[in-house]
Amino acid sequence: MGGGQLGLMMIEAAHKIGLSVTVFADSRSCPAFKICDDFIESSFTDMDTLSKFREQCDVFTVETENIHKDFLRIIEKRKNLFPSSNVIEISQNRLVEKNFLNSLKNIETTRFFEVNNIKDLKDSAKNLNYNCILKTQEFGYDGKGQSTVKKENLCQFENQILQNCIIEEKVNFKLEISVIVARNSSNMIVYPPVKNIHKESILRETIFPVKIDNHLKQSAIEKAIYISENLDLNGVLAVEMFITNDDQILINELAPRPHNSGHWTQNGCTVDQFEQHIRAIAGWNLGNGERHCDVIMENLIGDEINKTNDLIADGSVSLHLYGKVDIKPGRKMGHFNRIIK
Ligand code: AMP
């Protein structure tokens, strides 16, 4: 379900191991349309079309967590949906996700409060010393639906609808990392931590490996495994983390699917995150996730896609373009992996 670039790359992985893919998405002008075996163009509220779709496939998965809960539950009633609706529902709501994470032993997030009106906002912003970010609980990605809240700009929220929001303490982090776990009922592999560099809340660059102390690295891996076990994960899970100045690990976000910070595995590992996801949900053994070279992944965002000719001339990069026609600021158009050694 979903037809974006993650869907496109999942289909490439499925084809590589001989499986066919039907995509359910709301528009044909999406990256996955061109290479899928079948395409169902429909809104995610059309339950009749959903029933037809449900009959057509053996295993179901998502390339985005933003698929309506009712839709997921209907599929799961009769067929295998991996990861489960429970896992997807946790990750599609920031408040539910943070409550889940904080219920686990030794797993911490930044401080946060639920916000439903201006009074909640004022009280919680004060509590967080006006060092905070307001986010929608659902449907936010790449910084969309997020605003910095300060004492000086509080009045600008007076006339805004503030229902179903969350306010988080701004973390003064020294590093952002992520760990990707692939798991099913019979096996599990972990891709070690990578360093992630964001600009304006959008991932720009991922560097493998991250240079951190071994104990921090092990602790990050253990936390990601522990979270995936508690979710009874089937598929791939990306765990985004902040490392604070005093070396505390705070979990920022979960993504129960292949993730932008795992694109380096396409050129750095024998079996990449997309193939692991497909193997996991198809009930296959997972592949060897060991790295065979170091990689720096860079996203091509908006008109950076125009750098393509230079990148083609550079023999040390592998290009991955998503075939999106409209160039828009902030839109992920492709990425490239630079092999380091
Ligand atoms: P998110 O969509 O919540 O993952 O936010 C995207 C990016 O915004 C993160 O990767 C961080 O770079 C930044 N960000 C989000 N929340 C916080 C926070 N509470 N403190 C500091 N930076 C944050």
Side-chain angles (χ1 to χ4, degrees):
M1 287 165 267
Q5 63 269 15
L6 298 176
L8 170 85
M9 292 182 275
M10 281 187 200
I11 300 169
E12 287 168 348
H15 284 172
K16 204 162 62 149
I17 56 173
L19 304 177
S20 338
V21 184
T22 298
V23 171
F24 191 109
D26 56 11
S27 161
R28 276 166 193 263
S29 58
C30 66
F33 174 69
K34 267 187 272 182
I35 65 159
C36 63
D37 300 274
D38 198 0
F39 191 88
I40 298 178
E41 185 176 14
S42 167
S43 85
F44 281 89
T45 50
D46 179 345
M47 296 303 165
D48 289 340
T49 314
L50 168 65
S51 301
K52 258 179 37 204
F53 172 54
R54 188 174 61 178
E55 295 319 306
Q56 201 168 321
C57 302
D58 301 314
V59 176
F60 293 76
T61 193
V62 296
E63 65 103 44
T64 162
E65 48 278 25
N66 293 326
I67 308 281
H68 201 280
K69 298 174 182 58
D70 296 343
F71 210 86
L72 299 173
R73 288 187 194 148
I74 288 172
I75 290 193
E76 203 167 36
K77 247 187 195 165
R78 295 246 181 101
K79 291 282 176 79
N80 283 327
L81 169 67
F82 297 133
S84 66
S85 61
N86 176 45
V87 174
I88 301 167
E89 283 176 32
I90 288 173
S91 68
Q92 68 186 200
N93 183 300
R94 292 182 193 276
L95 185 66
V96 176
E97 182 176 272
K98 282 204 169 46
N99 283 330
F100 162 75
L101 289 166
N102 284 288
S103 74
L104 303 178
K105 206 169 156 235
N106 293 329
I107 301 289
E108 285 161 294
T109 65
T110 187
R111 290 202 295 148
F112 64 96
F113 297 96
E114 182 172 1
V115 168
N116 284 301
N117 52 51
I118 188 74
K119 183 175 182 308
D120 292 347
L121 178 68
K122 285 182 176 166
D123 292 350
S124 46
K126 189 172 173 199
N127 224 309
L128 298 171
N129 279 329
Y130 302 101
N131 178 35
C132 42
I133 306 177
L134 179 71
K135 301 180 179 179
T136 52
Q137 283 175 28
E138 296 191 354
F139 297 109
Y141 65 97
D142 289 345
K144 293 186 176 69
Q146 300 191 11
S147 333
T148 299
V149 180
K150 297 184 192 136
K151 205 169 186 176
E152 311 83 80
N153 73 358
L154 259 179
C155 59
Q156 93 186 29
F157 297 93
E158 294 274 357
N159 297 322
Q160 283 189 22
I161 299 166
L162 290 171
Q163 235 166 15
N164 301 325
C165 291
I166 181 174
I167 192 164
E168 298 178 10
E169 182 166 21
K170 201 168 191 171
V171 180
N172 191 10
F173 56 82
K174 67 173 180 196
L175 202 61
E176 282 191 85
I177 63 167
S178 54
V179 177
I180 291 179
V181 181
R183 185 179 182 275
N184 64 13
S185 54
S186 44
N187 44 118
M188 182 186 74
I189 70 104
V190 184
Y191 294 108
V194 288
K195 173 178 174 176
N196 294 322
I197 301 171
H198 292 81
K199 280 188 204 138
E200 287 151 4
S201 302
I202 304 180
L203 182 69
R204 307 302 302 214
E205 202 172 313
T206 292
I207 299 167
F208 178 89
V210 59
K211 293 192 175 69
I212 49 172
D213 282 355
N214 210 30
H215 81 274
L216 262 182
K217 186 175 152 190
Q218 284 315 319
S219 171
I221 291 173
E222 277 164 25
K223 285 178 196 293
I225 292 175
Y226 183 60
I227 292 168
S228 73
E229 283 169 347
N230 275 277
L231 290 170
D232 197 15
L233 175 76
N234 194 326
V236 160
L237 176 78
V239 184
E240 292 183 58
M241 307 175 186
F242 297 123
I243 300 192
T244 64
N245 286 323
D246 54 358
D247 283 348
Q248 196 188 4
I249 297 180
L250 299 176
I251 310 297
N252 174 32
E253 221 178 13
L254 305 178
R257 51 167 169 78
H259 187 255
N260 198 168
S261 68
H263 292 357
W264 72 274
T265 62
Q266 291 175 306
N267 298 97
C269 301
T270 311
V271 177
D272 70 25
Q273 62 161 353
F274 296 99
E275 186 176 334
Q276 302 287 16
H277 185 75
I278 300 296
R279 284 176 177 235
I281 66 168
W284 288 27
N285 271 342
L286 300 178
N288 179 353
E290 268 172 41
R291 138 258 183 247
H292 51 70
C293 60
D294 293 346
V295 176
I296 296 179
M297 188 283 316
E298 274 186 57
N299 276 333
L300 294 167
I301 297 183
D303 59 14
E304 286 168 6
I305 188 74
N306 297 327
K307 292 201 301 202
T308 302
N309 281 348
D310 294 340
L311 291 167
I312 290 170
D314 180 345
S316 67
V317 305
S318 172
L319 258 182
H320 301 259
L321 305 180
Y322 311 148
K324 294 181 184 175
V325 179
D326 295 331
I327 301 174
K328 292 183 194 158
R331 190 172 204 205
K332 289 176 181 165
M333 307 297 292
H335 67 273
F336 60 93
N337 285 327
R338 185 177 297 281
I339 310 303
I340 303 303
K341 59 179 187 271

